[in-house]
Amino acid sequence: MKMIAWTATIMAAVFGTIGSSAAVAPAAPQVSLTVMNPRGEIAPPPLFAPQARIADLSGKRLGIYWNGKAGGNHFWNVIEQLLKERLPKTAIRRYDGPYDLGDALAAKIAGEVDAFFYGVGD
Amino acid sequence: MSGYTRIEKLGKPGVFACTDNFAHDARSAAEDFGMPKARMLALPAADYYRLRRSEVAIRPVAAAAADKLIDGLRRPLSAEEASVTVKKEALEPVTVTADSYAHAAQKFNEAFLANHWGDGLPLVPPTREAVREMLGGTSRSPGEVIGTVAPKNGTVTVEMAAVNAVMAGARPEYLPVIIAAIEGITDPAYDDLHILTSSGSFNLAIMVSGPIAKEIDVNSGIGMLGYGWRANSTIGRAVRLITINAGRVWPAETDDLSPWEPFHVSQGFKPEDSCVTISSVMSSPGNYFGGGAVEPWTPQQILDNITRSLLGSRAGMLGWKRGGPNPGPMKHILIFQPELANELDRLGYARQSLQKLLYERATVPYEQLTPAEIASIQPRIDSGEIPPDRVPVFKEALKPGGKLPILDRPEDIRIVVAGGIPGYTFGMMYYREGLYAPTSDQTRKIRGATLTKAGR
């Protein structure tokens, strides 16, 4: 978090102008309140664009990852059936694991498929 | 989303699928993991959660999604998707100006609360002087980093903790306790991500022990959960504010998802009325009956769980006596998740028919009653504790083949529809009659409002 200097200042009101002969309406007194920023600084992560898409999935290996949240298996089972109908020449591999699959499982999946679907069950 | 981005970063194109209720969260998480343009497909939550119980049920949802998933892998990235930029956030000071300190403080509060930099309650302005005074409660350096808070991983320093402690209304001597709590939350071994982001409305139990608890007057005795107490309230509030302002968590708004009339209508008021109900409940966490995203559920399972809970008060039956320490049967407030209410509505139930159903299910067959339980009913009838209109029901129950209700009236089961999708069904309870007055809840029509269209 940045170290920021803050002040709570009461600004003096100015009633008229020295040397002026014209009557000036008095300005309303103003209070300026400055407070510290309550937020925690966020270090921006390295940025990535999604990988290029695959125009033709025929002959490719397609992975389906599901994090085990109950009922998601039914959804992805049906998706697998529908994919086999629509993409008969695409191989489908199923994976499941924890909410955060971790580097090792990610590397394994990346090594075994050409593209993937990721379902969290929520 | 973290897992999805791990695989994408290893060179494989993917599509992330979640329900539309979580689409905003998922997009935010994609930004946190450095892939703000992640390809995503949002499934309709209102259908997904209730139909995921079987492949047959979920098939229409999957059929509608299959082609979109394939498209997500095939369709080339747009120029916008292919280029990613990061917005650098400036933590600038905030200055408000008004014609008086009171109005300036009001403007400060409105600005902070509008930015979701608070918890909805008025905040104490964290001026430099106030923060300096707060920092006097610790010998640690203001710039010392305590850690980062999920999900956005904002950094908490000692000074940032002090700023939020001021806002919470804490005293400087509480600051070391607050810092220690944040040290625990930001420990990499502690799973703050789940409790701070789950739709399950988790909260922290912060327990302060050792001599400092007494020195700073933490209440660990009578009423520690049910009343306001400065140390307890402001330490907890400061920790919550720090997680809000470092983790950047804020709940989504939910539309009215109830299929039934508003609760106040069930209490005899007109739909156009606006009402407030106050109800005594015990401070214990209440009973959980089912729902949520972790496991599929059915209305039958949840109704069975509720019935078992209602029957639990049978244990006190022998002591029921008006005006005594155990004055009579319970009243229950049941918070139905919107999905459950809508599913029951589709099955033909409404609030009133469900009250009747649960009342009739929460009964004990006459043959299973003990002689003492049977003997305990007549005095309640004679004394008028059982409402006159229910006496025939109880007399009928005390015959072979009868079933004794565990509650006095179906209306003692109050059903309220609240929460999001996915949501949980839970309950709170208290005695139907108070110890010192006849009731333990009241509903009042709001009147005299001048700044809203309703309640005038």
Side-chain angles (χ1 to χ4, degrees):
Chain A
M1 180 179 168
K2 286 182 178 176
M3 296 288 290
I4 304 170
W6 300 84
T7 56
T9 309
I10 299 178
M11 298 169 65
V14 179
F15 297 96
T17 305
I18 296 172
S20 169
S21 58
V24 177
Q30 292 289 291
V31 174
S32 178
L33 175 65
T34 304
V35 293
M36 297 185 72
N37 197 304
R39 312 229 90 186
E41 192 169 59
I42 297 173
L47 293 180
F48 301 85
Q51 295 297 324
R53 305 290 108 173
I54 301 174
D56 184 5
L57 292 169
S58 181
K60 302 295 184 186
R61 301 162 300 169
L62 186 55
I64 296 176
Y65 182 83
W66 165 58
N67 75 350
K69 206 159 200 175
N73 54 330
H74 297 138
F75 173 80
W76 290 108
N77 287 348
V78 178
I79 288 291
E80 182 178 355
Q81 295 163 19
L82 297 170
L83 290 175
K84 285 176 177 173
E85 293 171 13
R86 288 161 169 75
L87 304 168
K89 294 182 180 178
T90 300
I92 296 175
R93 291 169 180 258
R94 296 289 294 270
Y95 302 91
D96 56 58
Y99 283 27
D100 183 352
L101 81 175
D103 287 332
L105 184 53
K108 172 181 163 61
I109 295 172
E112 294 178 353
V113 305
D114 299 299
F116 70 99
F117 297 129
Y118 199 98
V120 293
D122 261 325
Chain B
M1 184 53 79
S2 58
Y4 165 86
T5 57
R6 284 183 204 273
I7 304 175
E8 277 265 4
K9 289 173 185 175
L10 291 170
K12 304 298 179 178
V15 177
F16 181 88
C18 65
T19 61
D20 49 16
N21 269 13
F22 286 94
H24 178 79
D25 287 355
R27 182 62 65 195
S28 178
E31 294 172 2
D32 300 342
F33 292 106
M35 196 170 287
K37 304 297 183 183
R39 276 274 168 95
M40 290 171 40
L41 176 65
L43 307 167
D47 296 327
Y48 177 84
Y49 288 112
R50 68 185 177 86
L51 298 176
R52 63 183 168 153
R53 62 182 179 271
S54 71
E55 289 182 23
V56 171
I58 199 68
R59 180 167 284 275
V61 179
D67 288 335
K68 295 174 184 172
L69 285 167
I70 294 170
D71 178 67
L73 288 182
R74 282 176 163 165
R75 182 167 37 85
L77 298 177
S78 67
E80 185 193 6
E81 287 177 303
S83 67
V84 289
T85 55
V86 64
K87 289 180 288 186
K88 176 69 176 172
E89 183 186 45
L91 299 179
E92 297 298 331
V94 175
T95 299
V96 292
T97 304
D99 59 5
S100 67
Y101 181 85
H103 286 157
Q106 187 178 351
K107 287 178 77 173
F108 143 76
N109 261 289
E110 287 169 0
F112 269 44
L113 295 176
N115 286 336
H116 296 166
W117 293 358
D119 55 3
L121 293 170
L123 302 159
V124 177
T127 62
R128 185 174 64 173
E129 291 76 12
V131 173
R132 186 186 301 129
E133 185 180 347
M134 180 61 67
L135 285 167
T138 179
S139 60
R140 298 169 69 159
S141 167
E144 179 186 343
V145 173
I146 303 172
T148 60
V149 176
K152 292 289 187 184
N153 300 315
T155 300
V156 183
T157 62
V158 168
E159 183 181 72
M160 185 273 197
V163 171
N164 284 274
V166 169
M167 288 163 48
R171 294 173 60 89
E173 54 265 42
Y174 306 163
L175 184 60
V177 177
I178 294 163
I179 290 173
I182 295 298
E183 285 177 328
I185 291 170
T186 58
D187 188 312
Y190 177 74
D191 181 10
D192 60 337
L193 179 63
H194 183 216
I195 66 150
L196 293 173
T197 59
S198 172
S199 59
S201 295
F202 290 91
N203 216 328
L204 279 170
I206 301 172
M207 292 164 276
V208 184
S209 62
I212 198 171
K214 189 170 185 180
E215 199 174 341
I216 64 174
D217 199 19
V218 172
N219 183 3
S220 59
I222 292 172
M224 68 173 185
L225 294 178
Y227 297 83
W229 196 270
R230 185 167 184 184
N232 300 43
S233 297
T234 61
I235 289 171
R237 189 185 186 202
V239 171
R240 172 59 76 185
L241 289 174
I242 292 166
T243 61
I244 289 172
N245 282 317
R248 314 289 176 92
V249 186
W250 196 255
E253 294 179 3
T254 305
D255 295 331
D256 182 7
L257 301 168
S258 172
W260 300 324
E261 78 277 3
F263 176 73
H264 70 277
V265 176
S266 72
Q267 301 300 298
F269 293 88
K270 298 174 185 171
E272 62 270 27
D273 290 340
S274 296
C275 298
V276 170
T277 295
I278 57 104
S279 194
S280 310
V281 295
M282 296 171 183
S283 288
S284 57
N287 296 311
Y288 158 73
F289 301 123
V294 177
E295 296 288 346
W297 49 268
T298 65
Q300 191 59 46
Q301 287 172 336
I302 293 179
L303 294 179
D304 287 347
N305 290 339
I306 292 172
T307 302
R308 273 193 291 273
S309 175
L310 298 177
L311 284 167
S313 59
R314 176 185 177 183
M317 185 189 295
L318 296 181
W320 288 343
K321 186 171 179 57
R322 177 180 284 160
N326 187 7
M330 297 291 181
K331 66 153 192 219
H332 295 260
I333 299 175
L334 303 179
I335 311 297
F336 276 26
Q337 71 211 72
E339 292 167 282
L340 173 65
N342 282 285
E343 193 76 350
L344 289 166
D345 185 65
R346 277 188 281 271
L347 293 171
Y349 290 104
R351 178 183 278 116
Q352 200 169 9
S353 57
L354 280 166
Q355 288 173 309
K356 184 171 183 291
L357 174 75
L358 289 167
Y359 177 81
E360 290 174 349
R361 291 181 67 178
T363 52
V364 182
Y366 173 78
E367 288 73 16
Q368 294 178 16
L369 291 168
T370 67
E373 286 173 330
I374 293 171
S376 72
I377 301 302
Q378 192 59 48
R380 294 193 68 233
I381 294 175
D382 295 341
S383 66
E385 292 179 30
I386 293 175
D389 63 318
R390 306 306 300 174
V391 168
V393 174
F394 279 79
K395 285 188 171 175
E396 198 62 30
L398 295 179
K399 296 176 182 174
K403 290 185 174 180
L404 183 71
I406 210 69
L407 301 175
D408 280 352
R409 306 174 305 176
E411 296 78 14
D412 294 336
I413 303 168
R414 315 283 167 88
I415 297 174
V416 179
V417 182
I421 296 177
Y424 291 91
T425 291
F426 61 99
M428 299 172 281
M429 63 181 182
Y430 186 76
Y431 306 110
R432 182 173 70 82
E433 295 190 359
L435 273 60
Y436 304 106
T439 71
S440 61
D441 55 24
Q442 291 286 323
T443 299
R444 283 289 179 276
K445 182 178 171 181
I446 297 168
R447 56 197 176 89
T450 57
L451 301 176
T452 54
K453 292 177 184 172
R456 286 176 175 264

